[in-house]
Amino acid sequence: MARMTMIEAVRSAMDVSMERDDDVVVFGEDVGYFGGVFRCTQGLQAKYGKTRCFDAPISESGIVGTAIGMAAYGLKPCVEIQFADYMYPAYDQITQEAARIRYRSNGDFTCPIVLRMPTGGGIFGGQTHSQSPEALFTHVCGLKVVVPSNPYDAKGLLIASIEDPDPVMFLEPKRLYNGPFDGHHDRPVTPWSKHELGEVPEGHYSIPIGKAEIRRPGSAVTVVAYGTMVHVALAAVEEMGVDAEVIDLRSLLPLDLDTIVQSVSKTGRCVVVHEATLTSGYGAELAALVQEHCFYHLEAPVVRVTGWDTPYPHAQEWDYFPGPARVGRALAEVMEA
Amino acid sequence: MIEFPQLSLHVPEPAVRPGGMPDFSNVNIAKAGSVPRPPVDAAPEDIRDLAYSIIRVLNRDGEAVGPWAGLLSDEELLTGLRNMMKLRAFDARMLMAQRQGKTSFYMQHLGEEAVSCAFRKALRKGDMNFPTYRQAGLLIADDYPMVEMMNQIFSNEKDPLRGRQLPIMYSSKEHGFFTISGNLATQYVQAVGWAMASAIKNDTKIAAAWIGDGSTAESDFHSALVFASTYKAPVILNIVNNQWAISTFQGIARGGSGTFAARGLGFGIPALRVDGNDYLAVYAVSCWAAERARRNLGPTLIEYVTYRVGAHSTSDDPSAYRPKTESEAWPLGDPVLRLKKHLIVRGVWSEERHVQAEAEILDEVIQAQKQAEVHGTLHAGGKPSVRDIFEGVYAEMPAHIRRQRQKAGY
Ligand SMILES: Cc1ncc(C[n+]2csc(CCOP(=O)(O)OP(=O)(O)O)c2C)c(N)n1
Ligand SMILES: [Mg+2]
């Protein structure tokens, strides 16, 4: 075991995968010599050579399009989109191509690619360095969508994503890169080295895509979250003193519906939390599923806590971010109902 | 059957990395004054050479020479120098302010001041720029108030963009400066559309598109060239080649093309390459392109050859990917020092006056900063309201956003 930040864990996953399988290639903007603007690929070019880890031109459609072509040849590209906010030029390649190649060719061709992309706010990045576009991927049939909340999961899930036979959108909450950020932006962040999920095996292991994890067992209310919001939810639950069960989805698609249904059937109450905007967000899907599967167990309406339906503002970042206070209010609301 | 060798992937590399000796011997630099100045209605196929050379006016001795010289008066040149010095002083103060936590982020122009400052002077009131984050000289040279720029950078209560935008992503229709997007290259093609609209309405205004070397790889760049070419849009297509795109050297975006300017040739767009650190050359070439556009002769592509002396942004440390002394080895020198030398040679400037001007400009910038700080900085003093998050998404606020605003307590 080693102590790793989420950056180191992601890097280690790529390193282990490249070591085991010559077909794994890594590229993207600033990814080669420099090792990426978040340093996630640092050292990989030096170790595996510049034909397996290299800088790409600033063209996200080009990056994803060439990755699809490489996958069609038989490689396993794990590419980086510098910020999730910059995936839009590639959206055509992702949604109309990568997602449907297996289906339209009836398995003649497949598309085992991974798109890593930093997501979420909390770094004063304004509207183009803060977005959470997961629902734009879950709405597309043929993509898998993974969002880790800690170094241990990040490594195991990224290895599983690279080994997966289908395209995986791997969203890395950038506010978690260096520590389990709980939304209290005015307090110092504990580093991952002080957190048990910062303990990461150095070698190969994988975590199945589609398995949620209960981060805190409880019986009064279920909180469904993923990424940064897992830590925000845990903080809110502690501060409110509610006996909540906090579920970390880890993978949005496929979704571990059983874990959610079991929990809500037990608690009868449910709060869904994400940082992305509310309308047509992934929370809407979760709320609908809970309603379909747990209607007769529900004691209160499902409540969603999300980013507001506006672009991510720069200066008012912390009034936009759904922090522990807002999650706490939602907890109180469902408990009173 | 012929036996072919095994294939191998070509991945371009810069000539030198950290620890090496900077080397620009591969940069072919034409002598100042040596490149001809064709008539503005020259056929693109007759001036293909201009996409591979470098148009320069100022020679090593500080004299303005050749067919592109002679367009600017003493007064105009002195203003140009002042504007570049102002932009440099502004950058230095704002970088410091970022370090002091008064703003979250900053991007500077060091070494590239001539490009936007001189270009602005080739435009007229009513023309429209679609800039990137590295053309604040367009505002400075158009006398946009520095205080307003700082209010935006500090996201304070007077921020014209109400705290919504990342620092330096200014917007001013009044000053011909389209709202900056953080998403690269998107605006290049929008500039072409703006220019097409001006032509559709039989107007006299022209547009200018801006992009960095690295961002020319985006599809929007290529779309812009197709549309500009097809409709002969009255637009100037600017590429600022400052050699770097964060850590990525220009060869990754340029690929097998000799120059970025040459990208225009396949589209039948006249393409010029210019010394971006030469205020006089930038101005002359911009005027040539602007005249073409105004005469309804269509688009011109210009590559400004320059060098990004500073870090990409306040989040970047270039010593990780390029030699620290690379900027000193850059063969086209410093735009401020070159124009200063020229003005001294012209007999209208001196070392003493330069030092004095530096002090005056610094004072002007400091005064502006004081004024701005009265209205707050990112974490202190007056700030935009939380209401501002919800306003301006639509012309009229829909009910669901109003509900959310109320939920937020505003
Ligand atoms: C669509 C998109 N992809 C990636 C980025 C991240 N990014 C911001 S600036 C930059 C480098 C741009 O380099 P260049 O075009 O040469 O302009 P310069 O910064 O040198 O002026 C990158 C990759 C972005 N802002 N938008
Ligand atoms: Mg550049």
Side-chain angles (χ1 to χ4, degrees), chain B residues 78 340 343-344 347-356:
Chain B
L78 286 165
K340 170 190 161 195
L343 286 165
I344 291 173
V348 294
W349 199 239
S350 65
E351 289 292 347
E352 298 73 47
R353 287 172 74 178
H354 193 81
V355 171
Q356 193 190 336

Side-chain angles (χ1 to χ4, degrees), chain A residues 103-137:
Chain A
Y103 188 79
R104 75 184 193 215
S105 71
N106 196 24
D108 194 18
F109 289 96
T110 60
C111 190
I113 65 172
V114 180
L115 267 56
R116 295 179 37 247
M117 55 187 94
T119 62
I123 60 157
F124 278 100
Q127 49 189 265
T128 55
H129 303 88
S130 309
Q131 296 173 32
S132 298
E134 61 272 14
L136 298 178
F137 297 132

Side-chain angles (χ1 to χ4, degrees), chain B residues 7 29 53 115 137 174 178 248 259 280 286-287 291 316 329 378:
Chain B
L7 300 167
I29 295 169
S53 193
V115 176
E174 162 80 14
F178 189 71
T248 304
T259 66
L280 287 80
S286 309
C287 286
E291 190 182 334
D316 176 46
L378 182 59

Side-chain angles (χ1 to χ4, degrees), chain A:
Chain A
M1 285 287 203
R3 295 274 171 186
M4 293 190 198
T5 65
M6 196 140 141
I7 292 169
E8 290 160 345
V10 160
R11 184 191 300 148
S12 172
M14 286 184 275
D15 189 0
V16 165
S17 302
M18 292 175 91
E19 178 103 53
R20 282 166 64 101
D21 185 352
D22 278 349
D23 289 338
V24 177
V25 292
V26 167
F27 62 102
E29 292 155 21
D30 301 294
V31 155
Y33 183 86
F34 182 54
V37 293
F38 288 102
R39 319 318 307 275
C40 290
T41 57
Q42 196 179 15
L44 297 180
Q45 183 177 75
K47 189 162 171 191
Y48 298 102
K50 61 179 191 174
T51 60
R52 288 190 64 204
C53 176
F54 51 90
D55 288 329
I58 303 173
S59 168
E60 293 74 13
S61 60
I63 291 168
V64 178
T66 53
I68 293 171
M70 290 178 198
Y73 176 90
L75 299 189
K76 288 180 171 289
C78 175
V79 302
E80 176 175 303
I81 301 293
Q82 199 163 82
F83 284 84
D85 316 57
Y86 303 140
M87 68 84 186
Y88 301 98
Y91 199 55
D92 192 20
Q93 290 287 345
I94 295 169
T95 63
Q96 308 304 295
E97 302 299 322
R100 300 207 301 249
I101 282 173
R102 173 186 298 282
Y103 188 79
R104 75 184 193 215
S105 71
N106 196 24
D108 194 18
F109 289 96
T110 60
C111 190
I113 65 172
V114 180
L115 267 56
R116 295 179 37 247
M117 55 187 94
T119 62
I123 60 157
F124 278 100
Q127 49 189 265
T128 55
H129 303 88
S130 309
Q131 296 173 32
S132 298
E134 61 272 14
L136 298 178
F137 297 132
T138 56
H139 195 57
V140 176
C141 317
L143 303 176
K144 294 188 179 177
V145 183
V146 174
V147 191
S149 71
N150 60 74
Y152 179 84
D153 283 1
K155 178 169 174 182
L157 286 165
L158 183 53
I159 290 175
S161 300
I162 293 170
E163 292 170 359
D164 196 275
D166 285 309
V168 181
M169 306 295 112
F170 194 87
L171 277 59
E172 298 169 6
K174 66 178 88 71
R175 199 56 169 83
L176 296 183
Y177 271 151
N178 291 310
F181 178 64
D182 65 4
H184 286 292
H185 56 93
D186 41 3
R187 300 182 194 163
V189 179
T190 351
W192 282 117
S193 57
K194 299 231 169 70
H195 194 283
E196 57 177 7
L197 292 168
E199 285 234 351
V200 180
E202 287 178 78
H204 177 275
Y205 68 96
S206 67
I207 295 175
I209 299 174
K211 281 296 302 161
E213 182 76 33
I214 293 171
R215 293 291 168 209
R216 181 194 189 285
S219 58
V221 50
T222 301
V223 183
V224 184
Y226 49 90
T228 311
M229 290 304 135
V230 170
H231 304 281
V232 173
L234 288 169
V237 164
E238 286 322 310
E239 284 154 30
M240 297 297 290
V242 222
D243 185 27
E245 182 144 290
V246 178
I247 300 178
D248 176 357
L249 291 180
R250 308 201 289 189
S251 153
L252 310 189
L253 214 148
L255 175 70
D256 185 352
L257 184 59
D258 289 349
T259 298
I260 300 173
V261 171
Q262 264 172 31
S263 176
V264 179
S265 301
K266 175 178 72 179
T267 62
R269 298 170 204 270
C270 181
V271 173
V272 173
V273 192
H274 61 60
E275 195 180 339
T277 48
L278 177 77
T279 301
S280 305
Y282 193 64
E285 180 64 31
L286 292 169
L289 286 167
V290 168
Q291 183 272 138
E292 280 167 21
H293 294 268
C294 311
F295 185 77
Y296 296 106
H297 293 98
L298 284 176
E299 311 273 347
V302 180
V303 172
R304 289 175 287 168
V305 187
T306 70
W308 307 118
D309 279 343
T310 74
Y312 216 115
H314 168 256
Q316 304 94 327
E317 172 152 276
W318 299 117
D319 298 297
Y320 181 92
F321 185 90
R326 274 176 64 199
V327 178
R329 279 199 292 279
L331 285 169
E333 191 184 324
V334 286
M335 292 309 294
E336 277 160 26

